[in-house]
Amino acid sequence: MTETVLFKAALAAYVASAFVYGGSLLKRRVLTARFGAGLMLVALGIHTFYYLFRWIGEADIPSVDVYDTLSFFAWAMAASYLAMQLRTKTRVLGAFVAPVISVLMIVASIDLGGSVVGSSALKGTLVIIHVMLSVAGEALFAVATLAGIMYLIQDRLLRKKRDRSLIHLFPSLHDLDRINYICLFWGFSLLTLGILAGSFWARIAWGSHWQWDPKQVWTLLAWGFYAFLLHQRLAIGWQGRKAARWSLMAFFALLLMFVLESFLFRSAHTFM
């Protein structure tokens, strides 16, 4: 009962944050976006209490099925975005981040209070570490993508010299590119550690680090795509418009592989 109340309160705060952020775009006011950031911080705090309460009460992992995964994905997006704000002061980016988080939480609420049964093999500390690191890494990729989208919009407005009020409201291209890079770097690092944890767990549970499971293949492909993008940034010097476009393509590929794997293949990572 308490879990449900906390989840609904967090959902309400996220949705309120999205509306306030939307108002900041309509009114062209940064101050309004600051209220949106405050609401998102409140939502994140409630969401964190939801997980703490659940963890203490049930010793349950936060991402046991697709709905739980979406909820934890939303939590990781909010946490990473607010952390970025401390370093870059790009409050208006929340107008892109908050609606996505709200949609994720609304979908996650569909199964609120329901029971989920996972494979008995999917238990243990390594599974928890594997899931949390992997989902957090992918959430950072989502924030990087949204920063890339805002970068491309801002870049187009500057080149066309249109809607100057929106140009002044949006973060600078330098800050957006910096967020894109930081989220890409840390997202890739967390995903890599998550994959390694999953590999060690697979060795214990299945007797081999690699099983050619569809989700393993999908994850490896996504990892390779982001490894290429990070290499191009660090070694070749990609930045700005090109890096933003490739971030969009990489995340689109990540989503496409997730959808294909979920609906066309049977995986050992399937839950009921």
Side-chain angles (χ1 to χ4, degrees):
M1 180 64 182
T2 304
E3 294 174 18
T4 302
V5 172
L6 288 173
F7 186 96
K8 289 182 177 179
L11 171 59
Y14 281 130
V15 172
S17 172
F19 275 106
V20 172
Y21 271 120
S24 73
L25 288 183
L26 292 175
K27 294 182 178 180
R28 306 290 200 264
R29 298 285 298 275
V30 176
L31 180 62
T32 310
R34 291 179 180 174
F35 285 112
L39 282 170
M40 188 184 290
L41 182 61
V42 171
L44 179 65
I46 298 171
H47 205 172
T48 303
F49 273 114
Y50 161 77
Y51 279 121
L52 289 175
F53 188 86
R54 178 173 165 178
W55 199 306
I56 294 171
E58 303 178 12
D60 196 7
I61 64 173
S63 301
V64 74
D65 70 345
V66 67
Y67 301 105
D68 267 337
T69 300
L70 292 176
S71 171
F72 186 67
F73 197 100
W75 181 91
M77 278 189 70
S80 57
Y81 167 67
L82 290 173
M84 289 297 110
Q85 276 205 13
L86 295 176
R87 302 188 62 174
T88 61
K89 309 297 182 187
T90 52
R91 292 183 174 82
V92 181
L93 179 58
F96 286 23
V97 176
V100 175
I101 292 174
S102 298
V103 170
L104 290 172
M105 288 292 286
I106 290 170
V107 176
S109 70
I110 293 174
D111 196 46
L112 190 61
S115 61
V116 177
V117 180
S119 168
S120 57
L122 300 177
K123 303 290 184 183
T125 304
L126 274 178
V127 176
I128 296 174
I129 294 172
H130 163 61
V131 172
M132 293 183 69
L133 289 177
S134 300
V135 174
E138 290 162 1
L140 279 165
F141 291 153
V143 177
T145 302
L146 294 171
I149 291 172
M150 183 170 270
Y151 182 99
L152 294 175
I153 294 173
Q154 176 75 315
D155 180 62
R156 182 178 177 79
L157 290 173
L158 288 170
R159 285 188 289 112
K160 298 292 182 180
K161 298 180 179 177
R162 293 165 52 185
D163 204 341
R164 292 187 178 278
S165 62
L166 202 57
I167 290 173
H168 292 302
L169 183 69
F170 276 12
S172 69
L173 292 180
H174 175 268
D175 281 343
L176 290 170
D177 187 57
R178 187 178 173 207
I179 290 176
N180 181 280
Y181 168 71
I182 292 173
C183 289
L184 172 64
F185 178 83
W186 285 107
F188 181 78
S189 301
L190 292 178
L191 180 62
T192 301
L193 292 174
I195 291 173
L196 289 175
S199 174
F200 286 124
W201 162 75
R203 180 71 176 85
I204 295 171
W206 297 333
S208 172
H209 293 288
W210 186 259
Q211 295 290 323
W212 289 105
D213 181 78
K215 182 151 287 185
Q216 284 182 311
V217 175
W218 157 68
T219 303
L220 184 62
L221 288 173
W223 183 89
F225 213 115
Y226 277 99
F228 169 76
L229 179 55
L230 186 60
H231 171 271
Q232 296 302 96
R233 261 197 173 267
L234 294 175
I236 309 299
W238 280 12
Q239 58 181 348
R241 200 183 309 162
K242 178 178 282 189
R245 286 173 176 167
W246 273 86
S247 291
L248 263 65
M249 288 191 286
F251 197 70
F252 176 77
L254 183 71
L255 289 178
L256 181 63
M257 285 185 280
F258 173 76
V259 171
L260 291 176
E261 180 273 328
S262 298
F263 292 99
L264 299 182
F265 300 97
R266 293 182 61 84
S267 169
H269 293 74
T270 301
F271 305 95
M272 298 178 285

